[in-house]
Amino acid sequence: LCRMTVETRRIRHAQERALPRIAEIHLKAYSANHFTSRLPARVLERYYRLFLGDGAETLLMVEEVEGLGETILGFAVFGREIGTKIAQFKRENFQAIAAASLRNPVAAAGKLVRQVWNRATAGKSTPCADHLLLSIAAARPGTGSGRALLGAFITRTAAKGEAQVGLYVNADNLGAINVYVSEGFVFRAFHGGQYYMERSLGN
């Protein structure tokens, strides 16, 4: 008789050894309109290393196949210190970001325009939730990994007593927007080519 393969899926916290796979999934999942998709994998590993703790969390969706080990299917990054860590990454990796900008002048120009617009409209912007979702990506669309990670983000954040969560999503990412709306997120603002969406956790 043939032996059936046993597959199990679970969500767990990421460790540093997962960073190369996280960078790989990021590069496949994010469109060219997202400037981070223009960064080399080694730079993305430094980026995501900042979110392994100290105010941020990185969750993995993993699939375990009996006798074959574990495969990372997706990841989610969220927390209270997102903006601070992004600023730190920009300071520490200025040369790598500048090099990517020179290699991709059109994308860099678009990013610069969005930054100028954001600064010009800063006084009119909607206040953000303290707890933000930074990234969510799946290696293979349509497997349910992204939605499961989104649910884990909401559940874990609610358990910490947060009143609301927020996220930014590119306006052209209609698939993600539809998922967020179906999970109770509502539009709060639009600037720099992105929607800011928020959900109450009912605490």
Side-chain angles (χ1 to χ4, degrees):
L1 295 176
C2 295
R3 183 182 178 186
M4 293 184 64
T5 301
V6 178
E7 299 179 357
T8 58
R9 289 187 179 186
R10 64 188 178 93
I11 292 175
R12 65 168 176 82
H13 279 97
Q15 297 177 326
E16 191 161 339
R17 66 176 180 268
L19 291 172
R21 177 60 173 162
I22 289 172
E24 178 186 1
I25 292 173
H26 179 109
L27 289 171
K28 288 180 179 178
Y30 279 85
S31 73
N33 290 336
H34 203 286
F35 185 76
T36 55
S37 68
R38 311 301 182 105
L39 296 173
R42 67 182 185 281
V43 178
L44 282 173
E45 288 180 38
R46 294 201 295 266
Y47 179 62
Y48 282 112
R49 185 175 288 113
L50 294 172
F51 302 100
L52 294 179
D54 297 325
E57 292 184 67
T58 300
L59 297 180
L60 303 177
M61 167 64 79
V62 299
E63 182 178 71
E64 296 174 337
V65 179
E66 187 178 11
L68 296 178
E70 179 184 275
T71 301
I72 298 172
L73 301 179
F75 68 91
V77 178
F78 55 92
R80 271 186 161 265
E81 301 295 333
I82 298 300
T84 300
K85 291 178 181 294
I86 291 175
Q88 178 184 346
F89 171 77
K90 290 178 178 178
R91 288 194 306 271
E92 294 175 353
N93 296 274
F94 175 80
Q95 290 183 334
I97 294 170
S101 298
L102 291 173
R103 289 193 302 270
N104 302 277
V106 174
K111 182 176 177 63
L112 178 60
V113 169
R114 289 192 295 273
Q115 287 176 341
V116 171
W117 175 257
N118 288 345
R119 287 180 183 142
T121 60
K124 305 173 186 177
S125 61
T126 303
C128 296
D130 292 328
H131 214 95
L132 294 174
L133 175 68
L134 172 66
S135 300
I136 189 163
R140 299 192 303 272
T143 61
S145 298
R147 191 179 287 271
L149 285 163
L150 180 62
F153 155 63
I154 293 169
T155 300
R156 289 172 186 259
T157 305
K160 294 178 180 179
E162 297 288 344
Q164 59 204 17
V165 290
L167 59 86
Y168 288 90
V169 58
N170 279 9
D172 64 351
N173 194 348
L174 298 181
I177 290 171
N178 287 334
V179 171
Y180 296 144
V181 169
S182 72
E183 292 293 330
F185 285 83
V186 297
F187 297 99
R188 295 296 189 202
F190 178 79
H191 53 86
Q194 292 187 315
Y195 290 109
Y196 171 64
M197 303 180 72
E198 207 167 75
R199 171 181 161 152
S200 172
L201 298 180
N203 292 322

